[in-house]
Amino acid sequence: MSINLPYLLFLGDAWDDLSAKTAIGVYQWRPDACVGQLRLPGCVPSVDLPELTIAEGRERGARTLLVGVVNRGGVFSQAWIDTMVAALEAGMDIASGLHARLGDIPAVAETARRCGRRLHDVRHPEGDFPIGSGAPRNGRRLLTVGTDCSVGKMYTTLCLHRAFAARGVDSDFRATGQTGIFIEGSGVAVDAIVSDFMSGAIEQLCPAADHDHWDLIEGQGSLFHPSYAGVSLGLLHGAQPDTLVLCHEPTRTHMRGLPGRALPDLASCIEANLAAARVVSGDVRFAGVSINTKDLEEKAARTLLESCEKELGLPCIDPARDGADRIVDAIL
């Protein structure tokens, strides 16, 4: 899949940063590929880009309207349709990472055909995937896992990749979600794959490699989240990881989207992920914990990180505050 750059980021009517995490993530990691943002009335989150209309975005060179909103169920809002149609008529393609398909929206599909524009649904992988085998393969692999969904697994993996690159270590970032695919330009949206083929898709995404090569695989979901545990388990088995890094957001009062369901404690999450990974990786270990402390003051964040490190005996860092070097030290 080849998507024309640069992007005009469409934040729609997103209500918080997590619901606009695709737009925010793409801007953070690929600012060179973004000309501006377009927000509808009521949109709360924003990125540090100029507010543009469709016409202004096109004038600044935007070639693709990127739907940067993530919502429960992955559906398109009726309030977005006019904007998407206008983008197509202005000469832009549209790219989306939602579960729903752009081509299933009659007005969007008809306009794309009439205007000769392309619709990219990166959440719907093309091609065939094998059934996972669990057979040993060469190369080194790291997978990020989480106490919940949307706790920073992609961000942590990208920070680790940056730190590996700074040390000259041969490595690749392997995207498994829509935002990571928009950033990297390739990958597979694993949660859109039929469950029987999920681990095989990850084996294909991270094939055998030289012994010193690292594939750094973006995690999804959580073994403890009733809605998304299946994708987490498929990733653990398909990645066949040598190393795991746990990701956590400490201010959550419940699992995302499930009021009343508490997050697991870190030690229990580590134990469960090791047990699941050992089905295919007998020597798997945790190299550290990545804790998203953005909603904590500096002193409280430091106290929490030090407390977790003492309890778990692993490097505990916030990569946004500190970078990922301490975990890379533990890995290498």
Side-chain angles (χ1 to χ4, degrees):
M1 184 178 293
S2 176
I3 302 175
N4 288 323
L5 302 180
Y7 299 125
L8 174 60
L9 299 180
F10 179 55
L11 279 70
D13 46 9
W15 59 94
D16 62 10
D17 283 357
L18 282 178
S19 63
K21 70 175 186 175
T22 294
I24 292 170
V26 171
Y27 170 67
Q28 182 170 20
W29 293 96
R30 289 295 310 275
D32 58 301
C34 306
V35 302
Q37 66 177 346
L38 193 163
R39 303 189 302 157
L40 297 179
C43 181
V44 175
S46 177
V47 296
D48 189 20
L49 285 170
E51 299 273 1
L52 302 178
T53 64
I54 290 293
E56 291 167 341
R58 193 71 186 97
E59 288 174 3
R60 295 195 181 201
R63 301 180 67 190
T64 298
L65 181 75
L66 192 157
V67 179
V69 188
V70 179
N71 55 34
R72 190 166 175 83
V75 297
F76 293 100
S77 167
Q78 284 296 315
W80 305 349
I81 306 304
D82 288 346
T83 299
M84 293 192 291
V85 168
L88 293 166
E89 290 178 335
M92 293 186 211
D93 299 332
I94 303 178
S96 166
L98 296 176
H99 282 296
R101 294 178 184 266
L102 289 162
D104 289 341
I105 306 171
V108 171
E110 189 281 325
T111 305
R113 284 192 295 269
R114 174 167 52 83
C115 298
R117 307 316 308 166
R118 296 190 298 167
L119 304 176
H120 300 287
D121 288 300
V122 302
R123 204 65 168 270
H124 296 274
E126 300 173 354
D128 297 322
F129 298 105
I131 293 174
S133 69
R137 62 191 191 273
N138 204 16
R140 312 294 297 278
R141 287 169 297 280
L142 177 148
L143 174 68
T144 49
V145 297
T147 55
D148 193 6
C149 57
S150 303
V151 291
K153 292 182 285 293
M154 183 197 74
Y155 185 92
T156 298
T157 311
L158 285 164
C159 286
L160 289 166
H161 185 224
R162 179 179 286 173
F164 269 74
R167 299 179 186 217
V169 177
D170 182 24
S171 65
D172 284 303
F173 169 67
R174 301 299 189 183
T176 63
Q178 69 275 20
T179 306
I181 292 171
F182 289 134
I183 293 168
E184 181 64 16
S186 63
V188 58
V190 68
D191 60 358
I193 296 172
V194 174
S195 59
D196 279 0
F197 304 97
M198 191 179 299
S199 60
I202 300 304
E203 289 179 358
Q204 189 176 84
L205 180 67
C206 313
D210 292 339
H211 177 72
D212 293 329
H213 175 83
W214 281 88
D215 278 331
L216 307 179
I217 305 158
E218 174 192 8
Q220 301 291 334
S222 169
L223 287 180
F224 289 81
H225 198 299
S227 305
Y228 309 117
V231 70
S232 304
L233 185 61
L235 269 163
L236 279 163
H237 291 166
Q240 204 174 97
D242 302 278
T243 303
L244 297 169
V245 172
L246 180 64
C247 302
H248 177 58
E249 205 280 82
T251 66
R252 295 275 174 93
T253 58
H254 57 79
M255 286 281 185
R256 183 158 169 80
L258 297 177
R261 182 173 288 274
L263 274 69
D265 64 84
L266 299 184
S268 296
C269 198
I270 287 172
E271 181 181 353
N273 278 278
L274 286 174
R278 283 173 181 149
V279 171
V280 292
S281 303
D283 295 328
V284 63
R285 67 185 182 93
F286 269 89
V289 181
S290 174
I291 300 180
N292 180 353
T293 65
K294 69 180 179 63
D295 291 327
L296 299 177
E297 297 294 335
E298 177 72 17
K299 184 177 179 180
R302 292 294 164 208
T303 299
L304 175 65
L305 292 169
E306 291 168 8
S307 174
C308 290
E309 187 158 325
K310 182 177 180 180
E311 175 191 354
L312 301 172
L314 293 168
C316 294
I317 57 125
D318 181 337
R321 294 179 187 264
D322 308 316
D325 285 327
R326 291 188 61 229
I327 289 181
V328 173
D329 288 341
I331 294 168
L332 301 180

